[in-house]
Amino acid sequence: MLDGLDKDPIQAASKAELACEKLLFGLNKPYVIHGKDISISASIGVSMFSENSMVSDLLQQSDIAMYQAKDSGRNAIRFFDPKMQHAINERAKTEQLIKDGLSNKLFELHYQLQVNEHGDAIGAEALLRLKHPLQGYIPPMQYIPIAEETRLILHIGNFVLETACEQLKRWETNPATNTLTIAINVSPIEFNEDSFVSNVLTATARHDINPQLLKLELTETMMVDDIEGIIAKMNLLKANGVQFSMDNFGTGYSSLQYLRQLPLNQLKIDQSFVRDLEHDEQDRSIVQTIIVMGKALGLNVIAEGVENTQQQEMLLEFGCNNYQGYLFAKPMPIEEVEEKLNRLQ
Ligand code: C2E
Ligand code: MG
């Protein structure tokens, strides 16, 4: 019996599966009996329980699941609940998709331009795309949570950092692009690694780029634990010129206490507040507050998800001069971004 796995049933099932895999791995090791190597396998049936579950039902369900595992060819793990089994299968597929993406170099960065009130490009956000040979581009939210759970995000993060640095280096030689920043999204799993600061600084040094043009987008959910440690890491990077933006601002804790302490350069107003800006009084108040607060703290403020001129005009009136959204540009492959930049010239 495994208890205290997770509040989320799918997460709990995933952890149960991991425990079963460890058991199978252990059982599969050869035993030496009277000088002979003996190998055995096992079939495991899993039934998830909650506070209201009956012991007799659980045993019966696990038993049924175990027979399903045997029927599927033995040495397997099966869940009693078909929904759970389906979810587990989907996760396994996604994990494989990420691994294939990494080994076959299917990950790409697309870039979404960020502009000022005159429509001039000031930078771009790098957004991850997985180019599947059959399914086309798969959006990041379909695999990032699993990449984080499996820690494969560390490999993805390295690819993102390397690619963004290479791009900044290429832009350096062109006067039309040599002041543009590139913002990359950083997962809490990456940021928490001891090697994160040195990874970033090594990459900027190796590519010989101006670190001030590299912006790291952090999220508020990162700021829950060890705020001192986070500040220390940010300060080390900032001392070397690297910039920081607080992504999806307003959707997390938005505590003034941490905001005051963090060495940020920018607040990014979350698109959920921009979406109904023209119609929703409350969203307008929130956006105005974020802009005033950002400015009072000496931070740049950028709005994301700007889709129409009405939204942009309102934002400008409230004092926000930087924008990102479909109104100006969609995330695009680098060739299209450069074409667009040439047209804007
Ligand atoms: P995010 O950082 O908040 O990125 C903004 C998302 O809004 C992007 O979705 C972008 O395509 C979309 N967007 C931009 N303009 C508009 C607009 O005008 N209207 C609407 N409705 N949407 C707009 P995308 O590319 O699907 O990325 C989703 C999320 O995946 C990102 O949210 C970010 O959290 C994560 N992500 C993307 N790339 C990376 C990466 O390289 N590393 C990590 N760790 N996370 C990433
Ligand atoms: Mg972002």
Side-chain angles (χ1 to χ4, degrees), residues 114 125-127 183-186 217-219 245-248 268 304 324:
Q114 300 172 327
E125 177 175 7
L127 293 157
I184 60 176
N185 292 281
V186 176
E217 292 196 2
L218 308 183
T219 56
S245 179
M246 183 56 81
D247 204 0
N248 313 116
K268 205 167 187 190
E304 70 178 340
Q324 183 183 334

Side-chain angles (χ1 to χ4, degrees), residues 26-47:
L27 288 167
N28 285 342
K29 283 187 183 156
Y31 298 84
V32 182
I33 298 177
H34 295 311
K36 268 191 182 169
D37 278 350
I38 310 275
S39 293
I40 60 160
S41 65
S43 301
I44 306 184
V46 186
S47 178

